[in-house]
Amino acid sequence: MAGGGVSIPQDGRETPHPHPSCPCPSAQMLHVDTAVLLSWLLPPSAPHPWLPVLSWLCLAQAVLAVSFPVPLPSLCCCVCPLCACASAVVLHTPKLRRKVEGARGGNAGGRCCPREPGQAALLPQAAASPCLLSLFQGTNGSQLWDTAFAVQAFLEMPENPADYQKYYCHMNKGGFPFSTRDCGWIVADCTAEGLKSVMLLQEKCPFLTKPVPSERLFDAMNVLLSMRNSNGGFGTYETKRGGRLLELLNPSEVFGDIMIDYTYVECTSAVMQALRHFHEVFPEHRAPEMRETLQKGLDFCRRTQRADGSWEGSWGVCFTYGTWFGLEAFACMQHTYRDGAACREVARACQFLLSKQMADGGWGEDFESCEQHVYVQSAASQIHNTCWALLGLMAVRYPDISVLERGIKVLLDKQLPNGDWPQENIAGVFNKLCAISYTSYCNVFPIWTLGRFSRLHPNSPLAGQLQPRPSSGAGKAPEEAWSA
């Protein structure tokens, strides 16, 4: 095992390690050489297309070397590219890192690639654990996102991962993930919605006696300010780090636009809303940067609005979703209807939504919109599309209440006797072509929409149907009523 290490095949014979002086970061975390990783990715029972795989790796190396102004060995080792990637994945996924560290405590037999005397390597059997395989499913849920939309709830990452700069990862102290803490990766709009949720809960729920310390709110705001792109907008997991030519190396047959993190109207709008609310509560905290970021975000929304007044959504279906976020961005910057008039961008977006209102008063957009990049109307109105259109119109205080009432009536008519709303067409999309089902949307967004309508238009006859009914919990404190 001394002198650079050996590879031990399954038949027990020792052969010299193919590259004993490998300088890649995997020497510190995960010791699995390229051949082992390739054999893990391509099972022995399957044909091994070695030439295409190795050709792809070589091409990726060349493009990365040209696209990124960093030393090549630091980003991706010239002899162990997959090894370096696996090392980074392990380092920044807390749950997996605990498994790996446990596996490194001893050698249970099988193939391994020890590099230093006395240091055990991660076994391929451990590398192929369900914990690691779950990483390649894209995510482990959407719990935080749903909770933030439903009750504006709280979950915060406490610190930056070790060596995050070494692996060219973004800082994440104060950020919020898409699901749970074990996910390990923060997202800009999740952080924005999570921060806004926490602040609204603390402001509107006096029975919450243990507020989140201001320092943690500052951490969330600081990480948001660090995620702004040069074009003024915001992406998802990190800032934009390369050009669109990298998409030529996209090995996926399902996902589009995944090689770099792009800028999205939804993420930009969510961050703008959170920054605006935060700035009202903490006006002295990094005030010049806050004002600059808000203005640049609004400029980005102006530039990306389509000629028909819509914005294309990337994380929901599709133009209805994007236009809702676009209108919320303008609303948070005080660009709303006054005396029946609004700025050009807001008026065009509202006109777009009005042109898509269906005969029954609702809105319905098909998932095909995401694939074709044009608005494709569904056969029937959809609860989620109707809510997004109404929320956008109400955000900018659209003055024609009859338009709103027609949509509100659709939501009231679709409510089931038990208070639930039915599941309808797919509402979410991931990376252009992957549909994602948010099962809570059918209830969260009608409640949100009906609540906003009742608050803004209390004199409407429909608002009278939305008043709370007396219950066994009436007169009690909120937490007592909930438990009743």
Side-chain angles (χ1 to χ4, degrees), residues 318-333:
C318 170
F319 291 92
T320 320
Y321 189 70
T323 303
W324 166 44
F325 274 97
L327 286 172
E328 291 281 4
F330 277 87
C332 80
M333 296 295 284

Side-chain angles (χ1 to χ4, degrees), residues 338-384:
R338 292 184 176 87
D339 300 324
C343 69
R344 180 171 177 267
E345 293 84 2
V346 168
R348 288 168 57 210
C350 290
Q351 188 57 45
F352 167 80
L353 290 176
L354 295 182
S355 71
K356 304 303 180 185
Q357 191 171 23
M358 301 177 71
D360 66 352
W363 281 262
E365 187 177 2
D366 195 83
F367 184 82
E368 286 291 319
S369 294
C370 305
E371 299 182 9
Q372 299 183 22
H373 305 290
V374 295
Y375 190 97
V376 179
Q377 187 164 284
S378 58
S381 62
Q382 301 294 307
I383 291 171
H384 52 274

